[in-house]
Amino acid sequence: MRPHWPTLMILAVALWLFTTTGGRQVFVSDMLGEAYDSQAEHFLRGDVSVDGEAIRHEAMIVNGKARMYFGPLPALLRIPLNFVYPAGRGRWSRISVFSAAVIALCAFAALIRDALAKSVVKAIVRERFAIVCLVAFAFASPLLLLLGEASIYNEAAIWGLAGSITALLFAFRSRERSGRHLTFTLIAFSISGGAALLARVSFGIPLLMVAVLLATRLRSPQRIRNLIALLLPIAVAAAFYLLLSYERFGSIVGVNYDYYINSTQREFARTYGIFRLTRVPYAFGDYFALRPPSLQADAPFFHAERHAYGVTETRRLTSVPTSEAYISIPWCSAWLVAGALAGCVLLFRKGDADSFERLIAAALMLECLAILAYFAIAQRYAADFYPFLVVGFVVFLRRGSIMVSQMRGIVIALAAVSICVNTLTTISWLTECDQNVPAQTRDAWHRLLTR
């Protein structure tokens, strides 16, 4: 299959216009975006603190100094950006999230192309189906939310997602490479996995497991060289993360909510814990609910809103009484869920998948369980389910030739529905409910919708 560069270029332009509100808002001070710049400046001074006025209500106060619990990758990326263009300080968020989205989109395109390369489906049909999948990934996935609201929260999430999808691409490709090509593929996997870990640890830990899996499969010749290529970058990233966590909070396990400035979240974490398996069924019901977004007469026609959990033990399950998951994954990405479910059938069916695919899926399932057990539910956390869904979808394309032929029309129809519902509902959320969207961006959306 040929690379889909024309499609990728068109999608990149469309996502750029969405991110920058028609191209007019590039350098914007998004919510707490300056915190990454402040963290970068402190890193250059050998300090792990951050300016209190930059991190504000998300600060962790340790020994009288403000610390931030967000992954350091966006801050590290700010160092060369601020060196080249100091006037952009505190306003890099939209360029950052757009760059991550393009990386994620390109990696997904390569995954789909590789998966369909040996399919029995006709070449022209494969090309068209791959294009539909690309468009759906751009507009019927969490990318739209993470691009439309480029706050400190979403910037870390989108880089974690981009690193994870890219690492999965090179993990699958490593099985078909040899010699120097294998070495470079392993280096690319390791760098991508390390980036995901430094962006958000929930994306990175499963990739550490995948790295161990890949290491066990390496054979001579050049096994030592390939082991170094595979393990060195991701091990350096893991060591940096552990050291940074210890310097920030006195613990290598990461964030310590005992230092959180938000007293409600702090006391809830102390009393009920950050992770509890009893939350899993309730959170699953929220993220994967079949309820559609409500309709409204005016544009954008779908209405996004917070909703109550509807359980009797809400206070023990979550730290807030309402959920920010404004659109469930089956409505946001019905096309991907359908393909992933078919892929899961193949994973469990003897002879239709191998141990490598099953073990990768198992590692990513742990990421999903961690999000379901977490003490808060938000739409941005839904991004953590997508590496697992993408792997299931790839297995469906790679292994289910007959199934792909039978389900292709269903996936395309679901993609059309998801693109419409997710795009319009996300716009509703950005214009009506999301408190982190800058006023100038919200006003621009309102002017567009009322024309």
Side-chain angles (χ1 to χ4, degrees), residues 365-438:
M365 177 57 74
L366 294 177
E367 178 182 356
C368 299
L369 287 175
I371 296 302
L372 292 173
Y374 191 56
F375 76 135
I377 295 176
Q379 193 68 39
R380 64 181 179 274
Y381 299 147
D384 283 270
F385 295 100
Y386 279 74
F388 175 79
L389 293 175
V390 166
V391 166
F393 194 79
V394 167
V395 171
F396 160 64
L397 298 180
R398 287 169 61 95
R399 302 289 186 176
S401 295
I402 297 177
M403 196 179 292
V404 171
S405 298
Q406 294 172 339
M407 292 185 56
R408 187 179 69 252
I410 296 174
V411 172
I412 292 173
L414 291 175
V417 173
S418 293
I419 289 170
C420 177
V421 175
N422 182 64
T423 301
L424 297 178
T425 308
T426 297
I427 292 173
S428 171
W429 177 261
L430 297 175
T431 56
E432 299 172 13
C433 298
D434 199 323
Q435 300 174 353
N436 296 324
V437 176

Side-chain angles (χ1 to χ4, degrees), residues 127-198:
E127 293 284 346
R128 293 172 179 173
F129 185 61
I131 290 173
V132 170
C133 292
L134 288 183
V135 176
F137 188 73
F139 295 102
S141 78
L143 283 186
L144 271 196
L145 171 68
L146 302 179
L147 286 169
E149 193 261 276
S151 68
I152 189 174
Y153 313 100
N154 290 354
E155 188 172 349
I158 197 169
W159 275 109
L161 179 62
S164 184
I165 300 298
T166 307
L168 291 174
L169 166 66
F170 292 115
F172 278 103
R173 282 189 170 179
S174 68
R175 308 175 67 193
E176 301 172 354
R177 298 291 192 269
S178 60
R180 289 187 177 181
H181 292 293
L182 174 59
T183 302
F184 290 133
T185 300
L186 294 174
I187 291 174
F189 165 83
S190 192
I191 292 173
S192 302
L197 179 68
L198 293 179

Side-chain angles (χ1 to χ4, degrees), residues 116-320:
L116 287 171
K118 298 179 181 180
S119 174
V120 297
V121 181
K122 293 181 179 180
I124 186 64
V125 176
R126 293 201 306 266
E127 293 284 346
R128 293 172 179 173
F129 185 61
I131 290 173
V132 170
C133 292
L134 288 183
V135 176
F137 188 73
F139 295 102
S141 78
L143 283 186
L144 271 196
L145 171 68
L146 302 179
L147 286 169
E149 193 261 276
S151 68
I152 189 174
Y153 313 100
N154 290 354
E155 188 172 349
I158 197 169
W159 275 109
L161 179 62
S164 184
I165 300 298
T166 307
L168 291 174
L169 166 66
F170 292 115
F172 278 103
R173 282 189 170 179
S174 68
R175 308 175 67 193
E176 301 172 354
R177 298 291 192 269
S178 60
R180 289 187 177 181
H181 292 293
L182 174 59
T183 302
F184 290 133
T185 300
L186 294 174
I187 291 174
F189 165 83
S190 192
I191 292 173
S192 302
L197 179 68
L198 293 179
R200 205 163 89 181
V201 67
S202 60
F203 285 101
I205 289 180
L207 298 176
L208 291 173
M209 301 178 189
V210 175
V212 174
L213 172 62
L214 291 173
T216 62
R217 301 172 65 88
L218 293 178
R219 299 291 183 267
S220 296
Q222 304 299 338
R223 186 170 188 268
I224 299 301
R225 181 186 72 184
N226 288 333
L227 276 174
I228 294 174
L230 169 63
L231 298 178
L232 182 59
I234 199 169
V236 169
F240 179 76
Y241 173 80
L242 295 174
L243 179 62
L244 180 62
S245 297
Y246 183 81
E247 290 296 321
R248 280 174 169 177
F249 309 114
S251 171
I252 63 173
V253 297
V255 61
N256 187 335
Y257 278 89
D258 289 339
Y259 301 117
Y260 200 13
I261 197 172
N262 186 319
S263 59
T264 301
Q265 303 275 16
R266 181 179 67 242
E267 294 306 317
F268 185 91
R270 285 176 178 173
T271 305
Y272 301 115
I274 300 173
F275 296 97
R276 288 184 61 185
L277 289 178
T278 54
R279 298 175 182 136
V280 171
Y282 299 102
F284 183 85
D286 209 23
Y287 285 117
F288 290 88
L290 296 180
R291 63 179 183 277
S294 58
L295 298 174
Q296 62 184 24
D298 300 325
F301 308 114
F302 287 92
H303 178 61
E305 59 187 349
R306 294 175 176 84
H307 59 271
Y309 293 107
V311 296
T312 57
E313 295 183 326
T314 297
R315 289 304 303 161
R316 293 204 300 133
L317 293 169
T318 60
S319 57
V320 293

Side-chain angles (χ1 to χ4, degrees), residues 330-380:
W331 282 101
C332 172
S333 304
W335 64 280
L336 187 62
V337 173
L341 287 175
C344 287
V345 171
L346 297 172
L347 285 171
F348 284 104
R349 202 161 67 185
K350 186 177 180 180
D352 285 327
D354 58 28
S355 60
F356 179 83
E357 293 163 334
R358 292 188 178 103
L359 289 172
I360 284 185
L364 295 170
M365 177 57 74
L366 294 177
E367 178 182 356
C368 299
L369 287 175
I371 296 302
L372 292 173
Y374 191 56
F375 76 135
I377 295 176
Q379 193 68 39
R380 64 181 179 274

